Amino acid sequence: MRAVIVDCAIYRDGRRTEGPSDFSDALDEARTTGDAFLWIGLHEPTEDEFAHVSEEFSLHPLAVEDALKAHQRPKLEVYDDSLFVVLKPVVYEPESDSVTTGELMVFIGDSFVVTVRHGEGAPLGAVRERLEAEPAVLRHGPTAVLYAVSDAIVDHYIDVAAELQVDLEEMETAVFEPGRRDTKNTAARIYTFKRQVLEFRRAAGPLAAPMARLAGAGVPFVHEHSQPFFRDVSDHLTRANEQVEGLDRLVSDILAAHLAQMGVRQNDDMRKISAWAAMAAVPTMVAGIYGMNFEHMPELRSVWAYPATVLLMAGAVYGLFRLFKRRGWL
């Protein structure tokens, strides 16, 4: 069990205090004093490992099932003994220019906070350190943890959106670069980027409703004076969603422009092929006529017939070349 517990601490009057090593005893101590709460962080627990935690904190079976299976949409659920929030942190990998998502579940109840993290994204160590450095915020109890976690994840959305904006500008430059012919790799890159933006939208978009609900009044287990904090998170989330929607529209426009460019290049190639085929058809026709071996044909006995015929074919080909060149086919 200790392998999945990242951290476990009691917070009293906004400050971390030493407590029992067993989280059951620590929870009893936090509830006994009345002005403290327990924050326990877990990383990818198994069903057996989480069973004791869910029993001790009286977590709802449906919420426990969601926390174990992961692959959930961002949401907020209110149960009799706890509040359950699902968040999806987004991580940008600069080495591969890719976006990956994790999952973070937060349980809030009577004098406790339980966080369950899946994936390597959004470690909570930095959030815990920041909160411990701000006792005034931690005095709001478990609500402060939910706010800090949500704020950190949403702020990182904006950072990831900025990184994707840089990648999009580089892609746009590559698509409209004069003389670029690497159409296969460009199309694959655009499609991959669009899939990453879609993954981003799945993480950030559905979170708007839970944040709007937390910004309002009447949510159980949430501090009554926390609405301004969650409104701030909701505003940042709106900004992130607007950015990702703009990215999605732009990458769709770039893909359409790239496909249009490919169509224009194919038309240019077809015109060039047709022009060269037309120039080759003239001497082929003349040579074919004089190769039919009929006895009565014009100029068969003339000394100048052969060079005149060759000159005629060359002149016709040159005339066609000038014509196609003038019209932009070559």
Side-chain angles (χ1 to χ4, degrees):
M1 187 64 195
R2 290 183 178 275
V4 299
I5 297 179
V6 180
D7 200 350
C8 180
I10 296 177
Y11 295 90
R12 182 177 290 107
D13 194 27
R15 299 189 181 278
R16 181 170 181 150
T17 61
E18 296 296 331
S21 58
D22 184 77
F23 65 84
S24 300
D25 297 335
L27 179 61
D28 292 337
E29 180 179 325
R31 286 175 171 172
T32 300
T33 58
D35 61 345
F37 70 93
L38 174 68
W39 180 4
I40 177 172
L42 307 175
H43 181 234
E44 297 183 353
T46 63
E47 184 175 354
D48 293 336
E49 291 169 338
F50 199 55
H52 184 41
V53 176
S54 61
E55 180 181 357
E56 185 66 32
F57 291 91
S58 300
L59 304 180
H60 197 277
L62 294 178
V64 171
E65 181 181 359
D66 290 343
L68 289 173
K69 290 185 177 181
H71 304 293
Q72 304 295 319
R73 286 168 56 89
K75 62 180 180 178
L76 184 151
E77 299 285 350
V78 179
Y79 298 101
D80 294 335
D81 299 320
S82 63
L83 180 71
F84 178 60
V85 181
V86 178
L87 305 167
K88 292 185 74 69
V90 175
V91 179
Y92 178 80
E93 301 291 344
E95 294 81 7
S96 57
D97 293 336
S98 61
V99 171
T100 58
T101 59
E103 291 197 37
L104 181 63
M105 289 75 173
V106 183
F107 295 88
I108 293 181
D110 179 20
S111 302
F112 72 85
V113 178
V114 177
T115 55
V116 182
R117 181 166 59 91
H118 292 268
E120 299 301 324
L124 297 180
V127 177
R128 192 184 286 260
E129 290 177 2
R130 191 186 75 180
L131 274 175
E132 291 176 355
E134 299 178 357
V137 178
L138 265 178
R139 289 191 183 96
H140 290 84
T143 304
V145 177
L146 178 59
Y147 158 71
V149 171
S150 304
D151 185 57
I153 290 176
V154 171
D155 284 347
H156 196 59
Y157 284 168
I158 297 176
D159 296 336
V160 173
E163 295 285 354
L164 290 177
Q165 181 66 40
V166 174
D167 291 344
L168 182 65
E169 292 174 357
E170 293 177 354
M171 188 185 307
E172 187 177 15
T173 301
V175 168
F176 295 104
E177 182 181 354
R180 185 178 180 88
R181 306 292 294 182
D182 189 12
T183 57
K184 182 178 180 180
N185 291 337
T186 301
R189 185 182 176 189
I190 295 174
Y191 180 77
T192 301
F193 186 87
K194 191 169 181 63
R195 289 292 301 270
Q196 293 173 359
V197 173
L198 177 61
E199 190 72 16
F200 196 164
R201 293 188 66 175
R202 288 174 178 171
L207 187 58
M211 286 298 107
R213 188 176 177 186
L214 288 171
V219 181
F221 306 105
V222 177
H223 196 279
E224 59 182 357
H225 299 302
S226 64
Q227 285 79 19
F229 297 95
F230 286 108
R231 279 199 297 268
D232 181 67
V233 176
S234 182
D235 291 341
H236 291 180
L237 179 61
T238 300
R239 175 185 170 190
N241 282 325
E242 289 176 350
Q243 286 180 308
V244 73
E245 288 175 5
L247 290 172
D248 190 43
R249 289 194 298 268
L250 284 174
V251 73
S252 297
D253 293 342
I254 290 175
L255 179 60
H258 176 66
L259 294 177
Q261 282 184 335
M262 291 181 61
V264 171
R265 289 169 183 167
Q266 289 176 350
N267 289 336
D268 290 340
D269 293 339
M270 288 302 300
R271 287 192 301 179
K272 291 178 181 179
I273 293 173
S274 300
W276 287 110
M279 287 188 291
V282 173
T284 301
M285 178 188 66
V286 175
I289 291 174
Y290 278 91
M292 289 188 291
N293 296 323
F294 287 110
E295 181 177 355
H296 301 289
M297 292 184 67
E299 308 299 336
L300 286 179
R301 304 293 180 180
S302 173
V303 177
W304 300 101
Y306 179 76
T309 303
V310 172
L311 184 62
L312 174 64
M313 291 188 292
V317 170
Y318 180 73
L320 289 173
F321 178 81
R322 290 293 302 273
L323 176 64
F324 292 140
K325 193 74 173 177
R326 191 183 310 115
R327 294 186 176 180
W329 284 36
L330 292 175

